[in-house]
mmCIF file of all heavy atoms in Angstrom:
data_model
loop_
_atom_site.group_PDB
_atom_site.id
_atom_site.type_symbol
_atom_site.label_atom_id
_atom_site.label_comp_id
_atom_site.label_asym_id
_atom_site.label_seq_id
_atom_site.Cartn_x
_atom_site.Cartn_y
_atom_site.Cartn_z
ATOM 1 N N PHE A 1 167.507 95.003 154.846
ATOM 2 C CA PHE A 1 168.368 95.787 155.734
ATOM 3 C C PHE A 1 167.549 96.393 156.871
ATOM 4 O O PHE A 1 167.978 96.400 158.031
ATOM 5 C CB PHE A 1 169.081 96.902 154.960
ATOM 6 C CG PHE A 1 170.024 96.419 153.892
ATOM 7 C CD1 PHE A 1 170.185 97.136 152.724
ATOM 8 C CD2 PHE A 1 170.753 95.251 154.057
ATOM 9 C CE1 PHE A 1 171.054 96.709 151.731
ATOM 10 C CE2 PHE A 1 171.626 94.807 153.063
ATOM 11 C CZ PHE A 1 171.775 95.544 151.902
ATOM 12 N N PHE A 2 166.372 96.919 156.543
ATOM 13 C CA PHE A 2 165.504 97.494 157.575
ATOM 14 C C PHE A 2 165.005 96.405 158.521
ATOM 15 O O PHE A 2 164.956 96.615 159.744
ATOM 16 C CB PHE A 2 164.319 98.212 156.923
ATOM 17 C CG PHE A 2 164.651 99.548 156.333
ATOM 18 C CD1 PHE A 2 164.926 99.675 154.971
ATOM 19 C CD2 PHE A 2 164.696 100.681 157.127
ATOM 20 C CE1 PHE A 2 165.239 100.911 154.420
ATOM 21 C CE2 PHE A 2 165.006 101.929 156.585
ATOM 22 C CZ PHE A 2 165.280 102.038 155.229
ATOM 23 N N ARG A 3 164.648 95.257 157.983
ATOM 24 C CA ARG A 3 164.142 94.178 158.840
ATOM 25 C C ARG A 3 165.229 93.649 159.762
ATOM 26 O O ARG A 3 164.957 93.294 160.915
ATOM 27 C CB ARG A 3 163.562 93.068 157.970
ATOM 28 C CG ARG A 3 162.199 93.460 157.401
ATOM 29 C CD ARG A 3 161.513 92.341 156.650
ATOM 30 N NE ARG A 3 160.125 92.727 156.381
ATOM 31 C CZ ARG A 3 159.494 92.542 155.241
ATOM 32 N NH1 ARG A 3 160.103 91.939 154.235
ATOM 33 N NH2 ARG A 3 158.233 92.933 155.090
ATOM 34 N N ALA A 4 166.456 93.602 159.293
ATOM 35 C CA ALA A 4 167.560 93.138 160.138
ATOM 36 C C ALA A 4 167.835 94.115 161.271
ATOM 37 O O ALA A 4 168.184 93.714 162.389
ATOM 38 C CB ALA A 4 168.816 92.942 159.292
ATOM 39 N N ALA A 5 167.655 95.412 160.999
ATOM 40 C CA ALA A 5 167.951 96.436 162.006
ATOM 41 C C ALA A 5 166.780 96.693 162.943
ATOM 42 O O ALA A 5 166.971 97.239 164.034
ATOM 43 C CB ALA A 5 168.331 97.742 161.302
ATOM 44 N N LEU A 6 165.560 96.319 162.541
ATOM 45 C CA LEU A 6 164.355 96.627 163.318
ATOM 46 C C LEU A 6 163.518 95.365 163.503
ATOM 47 O O LEU A 6 162.399 95.253 163.007
ATOM 48 C CB LEU A 6 163.530 97.701 162.597
ATOM 49 C CG LEU A 6 164.171 99.081 162.472
ATOM 50 C CD1 LEU A 6 163.430 99.932 161.457
ATOM 51 C CD2 LEU A 6 164.214 99.787 163.823
ATOM 52 N N ARG A 7 164.055 94.427 164.237
ATOM 53 C CA ARG A 7 163.410 93.117 164.367
ATOM 54 C C ARG A 7 162.063 93.183 165.084
ATOM 55 O O ARG A 7 161.215 92.324 164.890
ATOM 56 C CB ARG A 7 164.351 92.137 165.062
ATOM 57 C CG ARG A 7 165.611 91.863 164.248
ATOM 58 C CD ARG A 7 166.410 90.684 164.769
ATOM 59 N NE ARG A 7 167.600 90.463 163.966
ATOM 60 C CZ ARG A 7 167.625 89.761 162.840
ATOM 61 N NH1 ARG A 7 166.503 89.225 162.386
ATOM 62 N NH2 ARG A 7 168.744 89.597 162.158
ATOM 63 N N GLY A 8 161.831 94.192 165.905
ATOM 64 C CA GLY A 8 160.562 94.285 166.612
ATOM 65 C C GLY A 8 159.536 95.159 165.919
ATOM 66 O O GLY A 8 158.455 95.392 166.465
ATOM 67 N N VAL A 9 159.863 95.623 164.723
ATOM 68 C CA VAL A 9 158.997 96.556 164.001
ATOM 69 C C VAL A 9 158.466 95.874 162.740
ATOM 70 O O VAL A 9 159.214 95.223 162.002
ATOM 71 C CB VAL A 9 159.766 97.834 163.618
ATOM 72 C CG1 VAL A 9 158.874 98.790 162.824
ATOM 73 C CG2 VAL A 9 160.328 98.519 164.861
ATOM 74 N N LYS A 10 157.150 96.020 162.472
ATOM 75 C CA LYS A 10 156.582 95.479 161.243
ATOM 76 C C LYS A 10 156.955 96.399 160.076
ATOM 77 O O LYS A 10 156.626 97.586 160.081
ATOM 78 C CB LYS A 10 155.060 95.382 161.350
ATOM 79 C CG LYS A 10 154.398 94.899 160.065
ATOM 80 C CD LYS A 10 152.872 94.907 160.176
ATOM 81 C CE LYS A 10 152.229 94.528 158.848
ATOM 82 N NZ LYS A 10 150.745 94.568 158.917
ATOM 83 N N ILE A 11 157.651 95.845 159.088
ATOM 84 C CA ILE A 11 158.057 96.619 157.922
ATOM 85 C C ILE A 11 156.993 96.479 156.839
ATOM 86 O O ILE A 11 156.682 95.372 156.390
ATOM 87 C CB ILE A 11 159.422 96.145 157.380
ATOM 88 C CG1 ILE A 11 160.484 96.184 158.490
ATOM 89 C CG2 ILE A 11 159.845 96.990 156.195
ATOM 90 C CD1 ILE A 11 160.738 97.549 159.081
ATOM 91 N N VAL A 12 156.414 97.597 156.437
ATOM 92 C CA VAL A 12 155.370 97.612 155.407
ATOM 93 C C VAL A 12 156.037 97.961 154.077
ATOM 94 O O VAL A 12 156.413 99.106 153.834
ATOM 95 C CB VAL A 12 154.263 98.627 155.742
ATOM 96 C CG1 VAL A 12 153.194 98.627 154.659
ATOM 97 C CG2 VAL A 12 153.655 98.313 157.108
ATOM 98 N N SER A 13 156.180 96.938 153.228
ATOM 99 C CA SER A 13 156.883 97.089 151.952
ATOM 100 C C SER A 13 155.877 96.973 150.812
ATOM 101 O O SER A 13 155.108 96.009 150.740
ATOM 102 C CB SER A 13 157.965 96.008 151.832
ATOM 103 O OG SER A 13 158.766 96.215 150.694
ATOM 104 N N GLN A 14 155.897 97.936 149.916
ATOM 105 C CA GLN A 14 154.823 98.051 148.926
ATOM 106 C C GLN A 14 154.793 96.907 147.918
ATOM 107 O O GLN A 14 153.738 96.613 147.351
ATOM 108 C CB GLN A 14 154.922 99.402 148.230
ATOM 109 C CG GLN A 14 154.539 100.530 149.181
ATOM 110 C CD GLN A 14 154.892 101.909 148.691
ATOM 111 O OE1 GLN A 14 155.818 102.085 147.906
ATOM 112 N NE2 GLN A 14 154.163 102.908 149.161
ATOM 113 N N ASP A 15 155.893 96.234 147.705
ATOM 114 C CA ASP A 15 155.884 95.096 146.789
ATOM 115 C C ASP A 15 155.077 93.928 147.343
ATOM 116 O O ASP A 15 154.659 93.040 146.598
ATOM 117 C CB ASP A 15 157.314 94.635 146.490
ATOM 118 C CG ASP A 15 158.041 94.149 147.735
ATOM 119 O OD1 ASP A 15 157.978 94.836 148.773
ATOM 120 O OD2 ASP A 15 158.667 93.074 147.679
ATOM 121 N N GLU A 16 154.825 93.932 148.644
ATOM 122 C CA GLU A 16 154.112 92.839 149.291
ATOM 123 C C GLU A 16 152.610 93.096 149.426
ATOM 124 O O GLU A 16 151.874 92.203 149.861
ATOM 125 C CB GLU A 16 154.717 92.574 150.676
ATOM 126 C CG GLU A 16 156.176 92.141 150.610
ATOM 127 C CD GLU A 16 156.855 92.095 151.972
ATOM 128 O OE1 GLU A 16 156.179 92.407 152.982
ATOM 129 O OE2 GLU A 16 158.055 91.771 152.025
ATOM 130 N N LEU A 17 152.163 94.279 149.062
ATOM 131 C CA LEU A 17 150.748 94.603 149.248
ATOM 132 C C LEU A 17 150.045 95.101 147.988
ATOM 133 O O LEU A 17 148.835 94.952 147.855
ATOM 134 C CB LEU A 17 150.576 95.627 150.369
ATOM 135 C CG LEU A 17 151.168 97.030 150.152
ATOM 136 C CD1 LEU A 17 150.130 97.995 149.583
ATOM 137 C CD2 LEU A 17 151.718 97.585 151.465
ATOM 138 N N MET A 18 150.793 95.686 147.053
ATOM 139 C CA MET A 18 150.144 96.363 145.930
ATOM 140 C C MET A 18 149.444 95.406 144.972
ATOM 141 O O MET A 18 148.403 95.741 144.395
ATOM 142 C CB MET A 18 151.158 97.220 145.169
ATOM 143 C CG MET A 18 151.495 98.541 145.869
ATOM 144 S SD MET A 18 150.038 99.591 146.128
ATOM 145 C CE MET A 18 149.449 99.835 144.452
ATOM 146 N N ALA A 19 149.985 94.204 144.774
ATOM 147 C CA ALA A 19 149.353 93.272 143.838
ATOM 148 C C ALA A 19 147.962 92.871 144.313
ATOM 149 O O ALA A 19 146.998 92.850 143.539
ATOM 150 C CB ALA A 19 150.237 92.040 143.642
ATOM 151 N N GLY A 20 147.848 92.564 145.591
ATOM 152 C CA GLY A 20 146.547 92.206 146.148
ATOM 153 C C GLY A 20 145.569 93.362 146.072
ATOM 154 O O GLY A 20 144.370 93.161 145.790
ATOM 155 N N LYS A 21 146.052 94.560 146.324
ATOM 156 C CA LYS A 21 145.186 95.740 146.258
ATOM 157 C C LYS A 21 144.697 95.999 144.826
ATOM 158 O O LYS A 21 143.527 96.336 144.608
ATOM 159 C CB LYS A 21 145.939 96.965 146.779
ATOM 160 C CG LYS A 21 146.254 96.934 148.264
ATOM 161 C CD LYS A 21 145.000 97.102 149.103
ATOM 162 C CE LYS A 21 145.323 97.252 150.581
ATOM 163 N NZ LYS A 21 144.118 97.444 151.414
ATOM 164 N N LEU A 22 145.592 95.843 143.834
ATOM 165 C CA LEU A 22 145.185 96.065 142.447
ATOM 166 C C LEU A 22 144.206 94.985 141.994
ATOM 167 O O LEU A 22 143.205 95.279 141.326
ATOM 168 C CB LEU A 22 146.399 96.082 141.525
ATOM 169 C CG LEU A 22 146.093 96.256 140.032
ATOM 170 C CD1 LEU A 22 145.324 97.541 139.775
ATOM 171 C CD2 LEU A 22 147.382 96.222 139.214
ATOM 172 N N LYS A 23 144.464 93.755 142.359
ATOM 173 C CA LYS A 23 143.554 92.665 141.989
ATOM 174 C C LYS A 23 142.164 92.910 142.548
ATOM 175 O O LYS A 23 141.150 92.750 141.844
ATOM 176 C CB LYS A 23 144.109 91.334 142.500
ATOM 177 C CG LYS A 23 143.304 90.127 142.076
ATOM 178 C CD LYS A 23 143.963 88.835 142.550
ATOM 179 C CE LYS A 23 143.194 87.612 142.070
ATOM 180 N NZ LYS A 23 143.859 86.352 142.496
ATOM 181 N N ASP A 24 142.095 93.338 143.788
ATOM 182 C CA ASP A 24 140.809 93.640 144.411
ATOM 183 C C ASP A 24 140.117 94.809 143.701
ATOM 184 O O ASP A 24 138.903 94.780 143.465
ATOM 185 C CB ASP A 24 141.024 93.968 145.889
ATOM 186 C CG ASP A 24 139.729 94.362 146.589
ATOM 187 O OD1 ASP A 24 138.871 93.487 146.767
ATOM 188 O OD2 ASP A 24 139.585 95.551 146.960
ATOM 189 N N TYR A 25 140.888 95.835 143.340
ATOM 190 C CA TYR A 25 140.321 96.999 142.650
ATOM 191 C C TYR A 25 139.712 96.586 141.308
ATOM 192 O O TYR A 25 138.595 97.004 140.962
ATOM 193 C CB TYR A 25 141.406 98.055 142.423
ATOM 194 C CG TYR A 25 140.895 99.312 141.751
ATOM 195 C CD1 TYR A 25 140.375 100.362 142.497
ATOM 196 C CD2 TYR A 25 140.924 99.439 140.371
ATOM 197 C CE1 TYR A 25 139.891 101.512 141.874
ATOM 198 C CE2 TYR A 25 140.448 100.581 139.736
ATOM 199 C CZ TYR A 25 139.927 101.613 140.505
ATOM 200 O OH TYR A 25 139.442 102.739 139.883
ATOM 201 N N LEU A 26 140.420 95.767 140.552
ATOM 202 C CA LEU A 26 139.918 95.345 139.246
ATOM 203 C C LEU A 26 138.657 94.493 139.387
ATOM 204 O O LEU A 26 137.728 94.607 138.573
ATOM 205 C CB LEU A 26 140.999 94.577 138.492
ATOM 206 C CG LEU A 26 142.215 95.410 138.046
ATOM 207 C CD1 LEU A 26 143.265 94.511 137.399
ATOM 208 C CD2 LEU A 26 141.809 96.531 137.104
ATOM 209 N N GLN A 27 138.603 93.656 140.403
ATOM 210 C CA GLN A 27 137.412 92.844 140.628
ATOM 211 C C GLN A 27 136.204 93.705 140.967
ATOM 212 O O GLN A 27 135.070 93.362 140.624
ATOM 213 C CB GLN A 27 137.678 91.827 141.736
ATOM 214 C CG GLN A 27 138.637 90.717 141.325
ATOM 215 C CD GLN A 27 139.033 89.815 142.470
ATOM 216 O OE1 GLN A 27 138.857 90.157 143.651
ATOM 217 N NE2 GLN A 27 139.591 88.654 142.159
ATOM 218 N N ARG A 28 136.460 94.842 141.634
ATOM 219 C CA ARG A 28 135.368 95.745 141.991
ATOM 220 C C ARG A 28 135.012 96.714 140.869
ATOM 221 O O ARG A 28 134.020 97.438 140.967
ATOM 222 C CB ARG A 28 135.744 96.535 143.250
ATOM 223 C CG ARG A 28 135.762 95.680 144.518
ATOM 224 C CD ARG A 28 136.017 96.502 145.768
ATOM 225 N NE ARG A 28 137.393 96.988 145.883
ATOM 226 C CZ ARG A 28 137.773 98.241 145.701
ATOM 227 N NH1 ARG A 28 136.876 99.178 145.385
ATOM 228 N NH2 ARG A 28 139.041 98.591 145.837
ATOM 229 N N HIS A 29 135.833 96.752 139.799
ATOM 230 C CA HIS A 29 135.590 97.665 138.683
ATOM 231 C C HIS A 29 135.662 96.885 137.368
ATOM 232 O O HIS A 29 136.613 97.017 136.587
ATOM 233 C CB HIS A 29 136.617 98.805 138.687
ATOM 234 C CG HIS A 29 136.462 99.743 139.837
ATOM 235 N ND1 HIS A 29 136.996 99.475 141.085
ATOM 236 C CD2 HIS A 29 135.805 100.930 139.950
ATOM 237 C CE1 HIS A 29 136.686 100.472 141.912
ATOM 238 N NE2 HIS A 29 135.960 101.353 141.249
ATOM 239 N N PRO A 30 134.630 96.077 137.096
ATOM 240 C CA PRO A 30 134.631 95.275 135.863
ATOM 241 C C PRO A 30 134.655 96.119 134.602
ATOM 242 O O PRO A 30 135.075 95.648 133.546
ATOM 243 C CB PRO A 30 133.346 94.452 135.986
ATOM 244 C CG PRO A 30 132.480 95.203 136.956
ATOM 245 C CD PRO A 30 133.427 95.836 137.918
ATOM 246 N N GLU A 31 134.204 97.374 134.685
ATOM 247 C CA GLU A 31 134.231 98.233 133.508
ATOM 248 C C GLU A 31 135.661 98.520 133.056
ATOM 249 O O GLU A 31 135.896 98.826 131.876
ATOM 250 C CB GLU A 31 133.483 99.550 133.786
ATOM 251 C CG GLU A 31 134.196 100.553 134.674
ATOM 252 C CD GLU A 31 134.098 100.253 136.172
ATOM 253 O OE1 GLU A 31 133.566 99.181 136.538
ATOM 254 O OE2 GLU A 31 134.556 101.084 136.968
ATOM 255 N N ILE A 32 136.613 98.425 133.982
ATOM 256 C CA ILE A 32 138.034 98.548 133.633
ATOM 257 C C ILE A 32 138.610 97.179 133.300
ATOM 258 O O ILE A 32 139.263 96.990 132.275
ATOM 259 C CB ILE A 32 138.822 99.180 134.797
ATOM 260 C CG1 ILE A 32 138.319 100.597 135.072
ATOM 261 C CG2 ILE A 32 140.323 99.201 134.476
ATOM 262 C CD1 ILE A 32 138.920 101.225 136.299
ATOM 263 N N GLN A 33 138.341 96.226 134.157
ATOM 264 C CA GLN A 33 138.886 94.876 133.986
ATOM 265 C C GLN A 33 138.534 94.298 132.620
ATOM 266 O O GLN A 33 139.369 93.673 131.956
ATOM 267 C CB GLN A 33 138.373 93.971 135.100
ATOM 268 C CG GLN A 33 138.997 92.581 135.124
ATOM 269 C CD GLN A 33 138.472 91.771 136.298
ATOM 270 O OE1 GLN A 33 137.277 91.762 136.577
ATOM 271 N NE2 GLN A 33 139.369 91.107 137.006
ATOM 272 N N ASN A 34 137.305 94.534 132.165
ATOM 273 C CA ASN A 34 136.851 93.952 130.902
ATOM 274 C C ASN A 34 137.486 94.602 129.678
ATOM 275 O O ASN A 34 137.383 94.059 128.570
ATOM 276 C CB ASN A 34 135.325 94.041 130.803
ATOM 277 C CG ASN A 34 134.622 93.181 131.838
ATOM 278 O OD1 ASN A 34 135.192 92.230 132.354
ATOM 279 N ND2 ASN A 34 133.383 93.527 132.153
ATOM 280 N N CYS A 35 138.132 95.746 129.876
ATOM 281 C CA CYS A 35 138.810 96.421 128.759
ATOM 282 C C CYS A 35 140.262 95.981 128.600
ATOM 283 O O CYS A 35 140.903 96.312 127.595
ATOM 284 C CB CYS A 35 138.784 97.937 128.960
ATOM 285 S SG CYS A 35 137.152 98.686 128.860
ATOM 286 N N LEU A 36 140.792 95.277 129.583
ATOM 287 C CA LEU A 36 142.225 94.963 129.591
ATOM 288 C C LEU A 36 142.549 93.772 128.714
ATOM 289 O O LEU A 36 141.837 92.769 128.709
ATOM 290 C CB LEU A 36 142.683 94.691 131.028
ATOM 291 C CG LEU A 36 142.567 95.857 132.003
ATOM 292 C CD1 LEU A 36 142.929 95.411 133.407
ATOM 293 C CD2 LEU A 36 143.450 97.026 131.567
ATOM 294 N N GLY A 37 143.668 93.906 127.973
ATOM 295 C CA GLY A 37 144.148 92.804 127.167
ATOM 296 C C GLY A 37 144.635 91.671 128.053
ATOM 297 O O GLY A 37 145.217 91.904 129.119
ATOM 298 N N THR A 38 144.420 90.458 127.603
ATOM 299 C CA THR A 38 144.796 89.286 128.402
ATOM 300 C C THR A 38 145.720 88.359 127.615
ATOM 301 O O THR A 38 145.625 87.139 127.699
ATOM 302 C CB THR A 38 143.545 88.516 128.863
ATOM 303 O OG1 THR A 38 142.739 88.183 127.716
ATOM 304 C CG2 THR A 38 142.721 89.339 129.830
ATOM 305 N N GLY A 39 146.615 88.962 126.860
ATOM 306 C CA GLY A 39 147.570 88.162 126.091
ATOM 307 C C GLY A 39 148.872 87.901 126.812
ATOM 308 O O GLY A 39 149.760 87.230 126.279
ATOM 309 N N GLY A 40 149.005 88.448 128.029
ATOM 310 C CA GLY A 40 150.250 88.269 128.768
ATOM 311 C C GLY A 40 151.435 88.920 128.085
ATOM 312 O O GLY A 40 152.544 88.395 128.076
#
């Protein structure tokens, strides 16, 4: 709805950025990453 109303404005939506940010954080903090369960 926001993108349709504001075609000239870049919409920053958190669902499109947070996964990449968390993945990068875990890669930089192996002490956390190595504690996480990986059973899906």
Side-chain angles (χ1 to χ4, degrees):
F1 297 146
F2 284 97
R3 285 186 169 137
L6 295 166
R7 296 192 180 276
V9 178
K10 177 184 175 182
I11 305 299
V12 180
S13 187
Q14 290 167 334
D15 62 314
E16 298 171 0
L17 65 94
M18 283 301 301
K21 292 290 187 179
L22 178 58
K23 185 177 183 178
D24 177 69
Y25 182 88
L26 292 176
Q27 289 173 343
R28 289 185 288 107
H29 292 83
E31 74 280 6
I32 298 173
Q33 187 178 44
N34 294 338
C35 293
L36 297 175
T38 55

